[in-house]
Amino acid sequence: MASDALRQLAGLHGISAFYWDIHGNQHHTSDETRVALLRAMDVACESEADVQGSISDFHESAWREITAPVHVLAPSEQTCISIRLPDVVSGQIHWCVETESGSEHQGAVFLADLRVSDTFEFQSERFLEYELILPLSLPLGYHSFRLQWEDETSPSREVFATLIMVPDKCYMSAKLGERDALWGLSCQVYGLRSERNWGIGDFTDVKELFSFAADQGASLLGLNPLHSCAMGKRIGQSPYSPSTRRAANAVYLDPDWTFGFLKAASVQARYRGEAHDTQVQELRDAEFVDYQRVFTLKMQVCESLFSWFREEHLGSGTSLEDRFREYVRAEGAPLRTFATYSALQEHFFEKDQSSWGWRTWPTEFSKPGTEAVKKFSLKYFDRIEYYQFVQWLVHEQLSDLTHGITAGQDVLGLYLDLALGADRSSVDTWEFQEAYALDASMGAPPDALAPQGQNWGLPPFVPAKLKQLRYKPFIEAVRATMRYSGVMRIDHVMSMQRLYWVSESAPEAGGAYVNYPMSDLLGILALESVRHSCLVVGEDLGTVPDEVREAMGRMRLLSYKVMYFVKNGPDSFIAPQDLPRDSLVVSSTHDLPSIQGYFSKHDLALRRELELHEEGVLLDIEAEREADRRALLEQLENASLLDPSVSEAILAGKNYDKALLRNAVHEFLAGAGSMLQALQIEDLLLESEQANLPGTVEEHPNWLRKLPRTLASISTDAELKKHLARVNQLRRSHS
């Protein structure tokens, strides 16, 4: 089916007609793609009649809505609310705004006194759009709006909306003056080794690493997303495919910390002895993280602690009980939904171990509010309370961690990642099913590294349906990460403006970009940033529309500058000192080769071995890498940071002192104009492997690899301290 009407319908639902790739080529969206993506949005489009009907439905529903469910406004703007009413409605309308603090503002106005900004006719019924300007100066925050009027069918009608007043910029720390240049480390939490953890890096390891880094002058510590990947008795391993972005991952709990926090010595005694110690040591010594074994062991501890806590505290009015109850009350519905989901997943998994996520459950449990779920919640109240208890422990240790590291003069705190979305069978999709296109996935269009395009396996939000929910899923996800962050990085910040969608049921149809309400989303992001005193970094790699770059600059979202990509032409790299101030500079990321991996071309050898590309594509990538290596090495030499003999050895594939290359790269970037710099701990330890190899699942140990050295070994390394002292000196010299 091909028609102008189909293209019109797709446009109404945000599907772009074309896009420009990174090379400046234009790609048009096919009608086949339009149909596949409209289906994913639950928009009828099977026939010309369906298309025409859907266009009519779109316009009619918009005009019958009276006013949008949410209005995102800046204090510098007039508080102007668009309202739409049938032209038979006349006389006065009454409005009321209740602010977050509980104060009320009311007023009334005659419709005849309002400006009419638009009109619409549908089946002989005429609608008028009015501009209602509220004579108010509302504070930043989330406020309730109520509109009342009378018409021929009812003596009193009303509609409600949310007014979100947002700042014009994200938070900027007073610790960063006009020229201050701070730095920090970044790591994958699971990969941290210590003599005391239980086979996976934990929050105590993070605290110890931050303490070491701060002693060297660091201001931040970047971590992988801490979102919960656990569901009942099972756990996923990719931090970028979580079960929810609104709860934290209990696998990072330090059991020994929980014993001390709860003063549960009797429980701790059960986890001492040769058998337990042998099991933990085996997990600790393993090259890769065994998520399932570690998670199972830690949940056994949590089960024991919960049983003890119920006996010793619940119902006894102790201070710990009060603290737990207050946490559950404050977290409210999101925590209860997470705990209920986890209990349900556990319940169905124990019956059938192929049961993974709500889409495999019986139909009567497919939504949170069903009678079956309510009955389950009553019957299994203890299991729901258990999962609330576990999240409380996670929150308490994270809070202890963040409060303990932010006292320093120049310390910003944790630098946390907000993943792009959640798993298709996740808590988030279960609760907000109407907001997700479950038959679509986010991804990226074809490029040199992925000629077939990319499918990230995560369902996207349907823009209009997200707005109907007053952006609640987005707001809750941002808040959950910012509450523990001094800096937050948004994975794929372009998602604020557009996302590339691919149909799951019709992948052969190809993909297209779908547009999002960028102004609203960035405004909400700025509001939460200010409220949490949290800087925001936007991961802006790849094809970035000019509108996104302009908005990032205007709203002070820091750009994410990766050394390998900061080019001003083929084989030519931008000098670090010329990078924009509002940016964070790094040498690499979890999805890219480490410094040693990049210059040795280890990652390309791995791609060839795993046959991830056609030969012609790989040859092109190798040729570009060769030119880029030479250009970067030349820059390091010109900056007097690397001896030409080392460059020659690297290019010839001979042995060289890896520390010299690491030092040169880090010192080179330390001179960047960027206000922040982050150093990967894998690079500090001269690792050649990377955390994740895109395009692989089982072929590569993604999200499994541990560091080669313990934190104790790292913290006593004199040469490493000397290197970090030099980085600190160079960064501080900006001031």
Side-chain angles (χ1 to χ4, degrees):
M1 174 177 56
S3 70
D4 290 339
L6 176 63
R7 297 182 186 101
Q8 179 188 357
L9 179 62
L12 290 172
H13 288 276
I15 300 172
S16 295
F18 61 88
Y19 71 90
W20 298 91
D21 66 22
I22 198 168
H23 302 295
N25 301 313
Q26 190 179 46
H27 300 265
H28 290 273
T29 302
S30 71
D31 287 333
E32 184 182 11
T33 300
R34 290 185 175 94
V35 169
L37 299 189
L38 286 168
R39 284 175 182 160
M41 295 178 182
D42 291 327
V43 177
C45 59
E46 302 303 316
S47 65
E48 288 288 346
D50 285 339
V51 170
Q52 292 293 348
S54 293
I55 291 173
S56 295
D57 290 345
F58 180 92
H59 290 300
E60 182 183 5
S61 62
W63 280 89
R64 292 193 185 281
E65 194 174 43
I66 310 301
T67 192
V70 60
H71 301 266
V72 180
L73 303 163
S76 58
E77 304 170 356
Q78 284 185 318
T79 308
C80 181
I81 310 297
S82 294
I83 58 174
R84 295 169 169 179
L85 292 165
D87 66 353
V88 295
V89 178
S90 59
Q92 277 190 324
I93 58 172
H94 300 264
W95 58 266
C96 176
V97 174
E98 182 179 348
T99 67
E100 274 186 319
S101 62
S103 62
E104 281 196 358
H105 306 270
Q106 301 183 46
V109 63
F110 285 97
L111 285 172
D113 293 334
L114 298 181
R115 179 177 176 271
V116 176
S117 57
D118 201 359
T119 63
F120 178 74
E121 290 190 16
F122 182 79
Q123 295 181 352
S124 73
E125 190 174 10
R126 188 166 181 262
F127 293 83
L128 302 178
E129 181 177 72
Y130 300 93
E131 291 184 357
L132 172 62
I133 298 176
L134 304 180
L136 298 173
S137 180
L138 291 170
L140 297 180
Y142 301 85
H143 314 298
S144 298
F145 172 74
R146 183 176 77 248
L147 182 72
Q148 293 178 307
W149 72 99
E150 297 178 0
D151 64 22
E152 58 191 12
T153 63
S154 172
S156 179
R157 296 186 64 184
E158 61 183 11
V159 67
F160 296 87
T162 298
L163 305 184
I164 307 178
M165 305 302 294
V166 301
D168 56 3
K169 287 181 172 61
C170 291
Y171 170 77
M172 183 52 60
S173 174
K175 297 174 182 177
L176 282 159
E178 289 186 7
R179 298 188 59 199
D180 290 319
L182 304 181
W183 68 279
L185 303 183
S186 66
C187 70
Q188 305 297 315
V189 178
Y190 58 83
L192 297 177
R193 285 187 186 269
S194 65
E195 286 85 355
R196 42 140 301 279
N197 73 34
W198 287 27
I200 191 170
D202 59 29
F203 293 136
T204 298
D205 291 332
V206 170
K207 191 171 186 177
E208 291 178 5
L209 179 59
F210 201 110
S211 177
F212 163 74
D215 286 346
Q216 317 314 311
S219 299
L220 67 151
L221 176 61
L223 309 177
N224 55 272
L226 299 182
H227 313 314
S228 176
C229 294
M231 299 196 291
K233 296 292 186 184
R234 291 186 63 179
I235 183 169
Q237 67 189 42
S238 171
Y240 290 90
S241 297
S243 174
T244 178
R245 297 189 293 173
R246 299 171 297 149
N249 200 336
V251 80
Y252 297 135
L253 264 177
D254 171 12
D256 293 310
W257 180 92
T258 63
F259 297 142
F261 168 69
L262 295 172
K263 296 180 173 58
S266 61
V267 179
Q268 185 175 19
R270 302 178 208 170
Y271 294 92
R272 289 292 179 266
E274 185 176 349
H276 171 79
D277 293 348
T278 299
Q279 183 181 13
V280 170
Q281 192 62 49
E282 181 182 313
L283 291 168
R284 198 180 287 147
D285 292 341
E287 179 183 5
F288 301 124
V289 175
D290 188 333
Y291 282 93
Q292 198 55 53
R293 284 185 65 195
V294 172
F295 183 67
T296 299
L297 186 59
K298 289 193 177 185
M299 289 305 99
Q300 288 172 0
V301 172
C302 288
E303 294 274 8
S304 298
L305 285 170
F306 182 61
S307 296
W308 171 87
F309 189 75
R310 290 179 65 195
E311 292 175 7
E312 297 291 325
H313 292 279
L314 294 187
S316 301
T318 65
S319 59
L320 273 178
E321 179 185 18
D322 291 344
R323 196 160 168 169
F324 170 61
R325 295 298 186 202
E326 173 56 25
Y327 169 77
V328 171
R329 185 203 64 75
E331 296 303 299
L335 175 63
R336 183 165 184 82
T337 300
F338 170 79
T340 302
Y341 183 95
S342 299
L344 280 163
Q345 176 56 40
E346 173 187 66
H347 175 77
F348 289 117
F349 180 72
E350 288 177 347
K351 290 185 173 182
D352 178 2
Q353 296 201 0
S354 67
S355 178
W356 180 252
W358 63 268
R359 300 199 302 164
T360 65
W361 300 346
T363 306
E364 60 267 29
F365 294 94
S366 63
K367 292 186 178 181
T370 65
E371 284 301 314
V373 172
K374 291 176 183 177
K375 290 178 180 178
F376 177 92
S377 299
L378 292 173
K379 183 176 181 180
Y380 295 96
F381 173 81
D382 289 350
R383 294 310 296 163
I384 292 170
E385 191 171 51
Y386 162 71
Y387 283 107
Q388 292 173 320
F389 172 79
V390 173
Q391 275 300 299
W392 174 56
L393 293 179
V394 174
H395 166 71
E396 289 288 355
Q397 191 176 11
L398 264 174
S399 298
D400 176 68
L401 165 62
T402 55
H403 293 158
I405 64 178
T406 55
Q409 181 177 355
D410 292 330
V411 172
L412 297 174
L414 294 181
Y415 159 45
L416 300 183
D417 238 11
L418 177 65
L420 181 57
D423 184 82
R424 203 176 306 278
S425 296
S426 66
V427 182
D428 292 355
T429 59
W430 184 58
E431 181 174 0
F432 300 117
Q433 288 172 49
E434 67 272 34
Y436 285 93
L438 293 174
D439 189 37
S441 287
M442 299 180 269
D447 58 22
L449 279 176
Q452 304 305 315
Q454 297 180 55
N455 182 329
W456 299 329
L458 303 173
F461 286 126
V462 179
K465 295 178 180 178
L466 179 62
K467 188 170 184 176
Q468 286 295 322
L469 288 175
R470 296 168 166 80
Y471 301 118
K472 182 181 178 182
F474 174 73
I475 293 167
E476 290 183 354
V478 170
R479 284 177 178 168
T481 296
M482 281 190 175
R483 72 189 301 182
Y484 306 115
S485 308
V487 184
M488 185 185 82
R489 190 191 84 135
I490 301 177
D491 191 30
H492 199 71
V493 72
M494 294 79 80
S495 64
M496 302 290 103
Q497 192 238 13
R498 67 177 192 179
L499 267 172
Y500 192 77
W501 285 30
V502 180
S503 168
E504 282 293 298
S505 59
E508 70 283 354
Y513 279 103
V514 175
N515 297 314
Y516 285 77
M518 179 173 67
S519 178
D520 285 6
L521 295 174
L522 289 181
I524 291 167
L525 187 66
L527 173 60
E528 294 300 329
S529 165
V530 168
R531 289 192 154 185
H532 289 87
S533 300
C534 181
L535 279 74
V536 182
V537 177
E539 189 262 285
D540 52 350
L541 305 179
T543 305
V544 184
D546 292 340
E547 302 92 324
V548 174
R549 292 223 185 271
E550 291 166 4
M552 289 179 67
R554 185 173 64 252
M555 302 196 70
R556 296 213 81 172
L557 269 78
L558 305 190
S559 182
Y560 189 63
K561 300 300 182 185
V562 180
M563 180 182 71
Y564 308 148
F565 300 142
V566 286
K567 293 185 172 184
N568 50 22
D571 316 335
S572 178
F573 289 82
I574 298 171
Q577 61 267 27
D578 294 332
L579 292 177
R581 170 144 181 80
D582 284 1
S583 65
L584 180 148
V585 65
V586 297
S587 59
S588 185
T589 78
H590 54 268
D591 283 338
L592 295 171
S594 65
I595 292 172
Q596 306 301 331
Y598 179 88
F599 282 96
S600 69
K601 300 192 287 188
H602 173 72
D603 62 310
L604 299 187
L606 195 56
R607 288 180 176 277
R608 180 178 291 281
E609 178 187 335
L610 298 176
E611 299 180 348
L612 298 183
H613 306 287
E614 294 179 358
E615 183 63 18
V617 172
L618 191 55
L619 289 173
D620 288 343
I621 296 171
E622 289 174 337
E624 182 178 12
R625 174 69 60 83
E626 186 62 23
D628 287 350
R629 285 199 313 162
R630 292 179 180 276
L632 284 169
L633 290 171
E634 184 178 346
Q635 278 193 315
L636 296 176
E637 291 175 20
N638 292 340
S640 300
L641 293 170
L642 193 67
D643 190 274
S645 63
V646 179
S647 296
E648 291 170 9
I650 292 170
L651 293 172
K654 297 179 180 179
N655 291 332
Y656 62 93
D657 187 337
K658 293 180 178 180
L660 294 177
L661 176 62
R662 174 201 65 194
N663 295 354
V665 169
H666 285 164
E667 291 177 24
F668 183 61
L669 295 181
S674 310
M675 65 173 66
L676 298 177
Q677 178 188 9
L679 285 59
Q680 280 194 146
I681 195 167
E682 292 87 353
D683 287 326
L684 286 178
L685 302 184
L686 310 176
E687 281 288 276
S688 294
E689 304 293 347
Q690 61 197 75
N692 178 54
L693 184 63
T696 64
V697 181
E698 301 295 336
E699 308 95 317
H700 184 265
N702 298 326
W703 317 115
L704 294 172
R705 197 182 304 279
K706 298 181 186 179
L707 295 178
R709 296 167 59 185
T710 64
L711 292 175
S713 169
I714 293 169
S715 64
T716 55
D717 188 324
E719 284 300 314
L720 198 56
K721 289 182 178 180
K722 182 179 178 181
H723 169 54
L724 294 178
R726 177 60 177 156
V727 170
N728 185 57
Q729 178 187 29
L730 290 169
R731 293 302 285 167
R732 303 290 172 173
S733 68
H734 287 256
S735 302

